[in-house]
Amino acid sequence: MVINGRSKISGIGISLPPQIVTSQSLMEEIQSDTRFGIPVNWVDTRIGAEERRVASSETLPSDLATEATEYALAESGIKAEHISLIIYCGIEKDFMEPGTAHIVQRNIGSNAVCLDVSNACQGLFSGISVADSMIATGAVDSAIVCSGELASKSVKKFLKKIKNENADYLRDRLGVMTVGDAGSAVVLTRKDDHSGIKNLLFDSRGEYAEYCYFRYTEDGDVEGQMLMKGITETIEKIHIEMISNTYHYLDWTPDSIDILACHQVGKKSVRSLAQIAEIPENKIPITYKLYGNTATCTIPIALSIAKPYIGDKILVMGGGSGLSSFQGGIEWSI
């Protein structure tokens, strides 16, 4: 699927909880070396995720999304009451129902239409594609796409459970030890020139759905897995298949790219995406080292680190469980 962008990012915001938790401290908590034969620095050295942010137990996904949204609105100069649509796309939600977008709407004092879009780590760009399409039809003039990731809640449950499991169980779920909490938001408005979202390409492969899944059991426990090797290899293949079409639709070349903003699980996946796109790694703002895998918030955090200039060409690449993948281009406009 190809989306021909009709909107631009007019504001971007992130929210990062102040508490820092190291990967080594998590591995020490489960005694990974003595109980499972896995060094306590394995996540640091093999994946590259040294730290992550962890929110307080009282924090809700909407709290992180709201703070990020307020920052994005301030940068855009648009008041909350002038926003037409709010889409929440985080993996974690305040409630099963209503949609968390309604809580963000209430928090910021808006009367926008609200809905949630869920698509794992790809959720933000799935939400952007929906908002962009609504802007293209004239249904709305402006939109907020936001998320709040509280993966630490699942990690805490996992840490309790792993103490009663074996090494094979841990190895299939080590990806859980890379995740971090964050909030993100973008304000989208209608294009008034050639800048903004150019094209977005999406691909979904449901046959790999069990590679990465999490669900709650009847007793409220968490079960699931993250088969890192299978996920990484499959998404790499999909990106290889997509990249020539992406450059064709954008009418860009690797040399014309100023920034590669990509979803980041760890250093291996980042290196792979750089090679596929034929872009030097020094053009990638790194998020995994200090923030871990922040799911839907990764690319907004990367863009906040990169601080693009107006006119910069930004290639976006990412994926999520499902398996889903996306690529596209943004010409920076703020």
Side-chain angles (χ1 to χ4, degrees):
M1 181 177 77
V2 181
I3 298 290
N4 297 313
R6 294 292 183 269
S7 65
K8 64 180 180 179
I9 295 176
S10 294
I12 189 167
I14 62 171
S15 173
L16 293 168
Q19 183 183 2
I20 297 172
V21 174
T22 66
S23 296
Q24 185 159 323
S25 68
L26 295 177
M27 297 293 276
E28 289 171 348
E29 183 174 345
I30 62 172
Q31 299 175 331
S32 67
D33 53 350
T34 57
R35 294 191 63 243
F36 304 108
I38 300 174
V40 293
N41 65 350
W42 190 91
V43 175
D44 299 67
T45 58
R46 292 290 296 277
I47 298 177
E50 299 175 5
E51 301 176 355
R52 79 275 296 119
R53 299 299 179 93
V54 174
S56 69
S57 59
E58 297 80 20
T59 301
L60 296 171
S62 62
D63 295 330
L64 295 171
T66 297
E67 183 175 46
T69 295
E70 289 172 342
Y71 288 140
L73 284 169
E75 183 173 59
S76 72
I78 299 173
K79 294 183 178 180
E81 57 265 32
H82 296 151
I83 294 294
S84 308
L85 172 70
I86 299 174
I87 298 178
Y88 176 84
C89 57
I91 297 170
E92 294 282 344
K93 301 172 176 58
D94 283 26
F95 308 109
M96 291 293 290
E97 61 172 299
T100 304
H102 294 81
I103 313 304
V104 176
Q105 182 218 49
R106 180 184 66 192
N107 290 348
I108 66 173
S110 169
N111 60 359
V113 172
C114 297
L115 66 136
D116 284 10
V117 170
S118 179
N119 196 14
C121 295
Q122 188 171 300
L124 185 86
F125 274 83
S126 294
I128 286 174
S129 71
V130 172
D132 184 274
S133 297
M134 290 189 179
I135 289 172
T137 65
V140 301
D141 293 320
S142 58
I144 291 168
V145 183
C146 61
S147 67
E149 299 295 3
L150 280 175
S152 60
K153 291 186 176 181
S154 296
V155 173
K156 289 173 185 176
K157 291 180 179 290
F158 171 75
L159 292 178
K160 290 180 181 179
K161 187 172 183 178
I162 192 62
K163 294 175 182 179
N164 300 315
E165 300 291 346
N166 58 33
D168 289 338
Y169 181 90
L170 175 59
R171 287 190 179 92
D172 286 346
R173 293 157 182 84
L174 270 171
V176 177
M177 308 297 271
T178 70
V179 296
D181 296 347
S184 65
V186 296
V187 175
L188 298 179
T189 56
R190 190 180 307 280
K191 280 184 181 182
D192 51 16
D193 55 26
H194 65 278
S195 66
I197 297 171
K198 311 297 283 185
N199 296 100
L200 295 173
L201 286 73
F202 296 92
D203 185 287
S204 299
R205 309 284 176 96
E207 63 266 34
Y208 303 109
E210 279 72 32
Y211 275 14
C212 181
Y213 73 88
F214 285 88
R215 61 188 173 198
Y216 289 97
T217 60
E218 290 184 0
D219 60 2
D221 200 359
V222 174
E223 66 174 16
Q225 63 183 14
M226 293 178 71
L227 304 180
M228 299 295 289
K229 186 174 186 293
I231 294 167
T232 301
E233 290 179 353
T234 304
I235 286 186
E236 284 177 1
K237 291 178 182 177
I238 297 171
H239 277 298
I240 290 170
E241 294 173 10
M242 294 175 68
I243 192 65
S244 60
N245 283 332
T246 296
Y247 280 136
H248 170 74
Y249 281 110
L250 292 172
D251 195 24
W252 292 353
T253 65
D255 290 341
S256 68
I257 305 300
D258 297 295
I259 298 168
L260 170 55
C262 57
H263 181 58
Q264 300 180 25
V265 176
K267 57 186 178 183
K268 182 179 178 182
S269 65
V270 169
R271 187 175 300 118
S272 173
L273 291 179
Q275 291 172 350
I276 291 168
E278 300 180 52
I279 294 175
E281 289 184 50
N282 61 13
K283 290 189 176 183
I284 304 175
I286 299 300
T287 64
Y288 64 81
K289 184 175 182 179
L290 299 182
Y291 306 111
N293 178 356
T294 53
T296 57
C297 300
T298 302
I299 291 179
I301 293 173
L303 292 173
S304 295
I305 293 171
K307 296 180 173 55
Y309 293 100
I310 292 176
D312 276 356
K313 289 181 170 61
I314 302 167
L315 183 70
V316 293
M317 301 175 71
S321 60
L323 292 172
S324 292
S325 299
F326 70 92
Q327 297 177 5
I330 300 170
E331 186 170 326
W332 203 243
S333 55
I334 54 175

